[in-house]
Amino acid sequence: MSGRKQGEAPADEGGSGPSGNKPPRIKISKSSEGSDAKNASRKLKDMEICVPIVCGTIAFYLGRKASESQSHKWTVYVRGATNEDLGVVIKRVVFQLHPSFNNPTRVVESPPFELSECGWGEFEIAITLFFHSDVCDKQLDLFHHLKLYPEDESGPQTTKKPVVVESYNEIVFPDPSEIFFSRVQNHPAVVVPRLPAGFNLPNPASIENMAEREKGDTKDHPLSQWFLNFSEADELLKLAAARQQVQAHIVKLRRQLSVMDGLPQFSKPTAGYGFTS
């Protein structure tokens, strides 16, 4: 039996695409020095890699097949904002269901990162993302409210149209490793900054068993017709890419300034017009 029906979904779990001027961004804290030494890869300072994701649930009413304990079939998932394969960044996802389910801790080791169940009640699902070793040594904890019943409950619930709730986020990785950067720089699910001219990266490192994994995108997913259309996602990706280009330019200017600081000074600022940093 699934968990008891809760009240209302949290305010930030509305069933619409990204809203407002700034998309929700989750910035991963930088790795510890010990983990950096373990990964043995140089860091790209003052740069960020952004991964737009969508957490969601889709619930179908079972109609005549419904029982008191199983009225709905639902799926919870983590997908790319443009339905690209997230397996290039995410290693596994753990879904923590209501304790009334058998084996409530579900581990999904490969994309697509999803699971399906049957039940009768709404509850909050804890979602934990684990990343590949060259990405980050920290996990990311998210929460998503499973919603089974439509907002308008005045009429009978239909079996043809599911209840869909999705939320958009951008996961930001500051100071990425060169190996991580080189591996994902041409991947459509990831937004990376433009590197300064003449900057050389190492050859991309392969992920264990990655070649054996099935295609993990959700473009042809059986439920894709019900995915919310994040029409703003492409624009947000463009904005994120522009932001990364600005960052790369700032890095270039800082390097130029550091070189200039090392040159001999031939003149001093005129008195009364000193500069402070």
Side-chain angles (χ1 to χ4, degrees), residues 123-150:
F123 59 93
E124 189 174 62
I125 302 174
I127 304 173
T128 304
L129 309 184
F130 293 86
F131 307 101
H132 292 291
S133 59
D134 63 347
V135 176
C136 179
D137 62 348
K138 302 179 185 298
Q139 67 187 48
L140 176 61
D141 297 319
L142 303 171
F143 297 91
H144 189 83
H145 188 83
L146 170 63
K147 192 168 183 60
L148 305 182
Y149 304 95

Side-chain angles (χ1 to χ4, degrees), residues 42-72:
R42 289 195 305 169
K43 296 291 185 179
L44 298 174
K45 298 297 183 181
D46 302 316
M47 291 190 180
E48 293 179 345
I49 287 180
C50 176
V51 183
I53 67 166
V54 172
C55 294
T57 51
I58 295 180
F60 284 90
Y61 176 55
L62 294 178
R64 294 180 179 178
K65 297 180 181 180
S67 63
E68 289 187 4
S69 62
Q70 294 187 345
S71 59
H72 293 75

Side-chain angles (χ1 to χ4, degrees), residues 28-260:
I28 304 296
S29 59
K30 298 179 182 180
S31 301
S32 61
E33 293 182 1
S35 63
D36 289 347
K38 182 178 179 181
N39 293 333
S41 176
R42 289 195 305 169
K43 296 291 185 179
L44 298 174
K45 298 297 183 181
D46 302 316
M47 291 190 180
E48 293 179 345
I49 287 180
C50 176
V51 183
I53 67 166
V54 172
C55 294
T57 51
I58 295 180
F60 284 90
Y61 176 55
L62 294 178
R64 294 180 179 178
K65 297 180 181 180
S67 63
E68 289 187 4
S69 62
Q70 294 187 345
S71 59
H72 293 75
K73 181 177 181 179
W74 51 264
T75 300
V76 58
Y77 50 86
V78 178
R79 66 178 179 88
T82 54
N83 292 310
E84 302 293 347
D85 184 358
L86 292 177
V88 69
V89 175
I90 299 175
K91 185 176 183 179
R92 68 179 179 274
V93 176
V94 177
F95 297 94
Q96 187 65 46
L97 308 183
H98 190 275
S100 59
F101 282 92
N102 292 327
N103 184 26
T105 303
R106 309 289 177 87
V107 182
V108 182
E109 297 282 359
S110 60
F113 299 107
E114 64 181 28
L115 68 86
S116 297
E117 264 291 355
C118 290
W120 61 269
E122 300 178 347
F123 59 93
E124 189 174 62
I125 302 174
I127 304 173
T128 304
L129 309 184
F130 293 86
F131 307 101
H132 292 291
S133 59
D134 63 347
V135 176
C136 179
D137 62 348
K138 302 179 185 298
Q139 67 187 48
L140 176 61
D141 297 319
L142 303 171
F143 297 91
H144 189 83
H145 188 83
L146 170 63
K147 192 168 183 60
L148 305 182
Y149 304 95
E151 294 293 338
D152 182 11
E153 299 185 14
S154 58
Q157 189 169 1
T158 176
T159 59
K160 296 182 179 180
K161 185 178 180 181
V163 175
V164 182
V165 178
E166 290 191 330
S167 57
Y168 174 95
N169 284 288
E170 291 180 0
I171 308 176
V172 179
F173 300 94
D175 296 351
S177 68
E178 289 185 351
I179 293 178
F180 175 33
F181 191 103
S182 63
R183 189 168 57 78
V184 302
Q185 61 179 329
N186 296 317
H187 198 284
V190 181
V191 180
V192 299
R194 182 178 298 174
L195 289 173
F199 194 96
N200 295 320
L201 287 172
N203 292 327
S206 61
I207 297 180
E208 184 180 0
N209 297 328
M210 181 60 74
E212 300 177 4
R213 293 184 179 181
E214 297 179 356
K215 186 178 180 182
D217 66 53
T218 50
K219 294 179 180 178
D220 299 320
H221 193 281
L223 297 176
S224 60
Q225 64 172 314
W226 304 110
F227 289 163
L228 297 182
N229 181 16
F230 282 78
S231 58
E232 297 178 36
D234 289 336
E235 292 301 320
L236 292 171
L237 289 175
K238 292 177 182 177
L239 289 174
R243 181 169 57 240
Q244 304 290 32
Q245 290 182 12
V246 171
Q247 278 192 329
H249 187 61
I250 291 174
V251 171
K252 182 179 179 181
L253 290 177
R254 284 179 177 174
R255 288 176 178 170
Q256 292 175 347
L257 288 173
S258 65
V259 172
M260 293 175 64

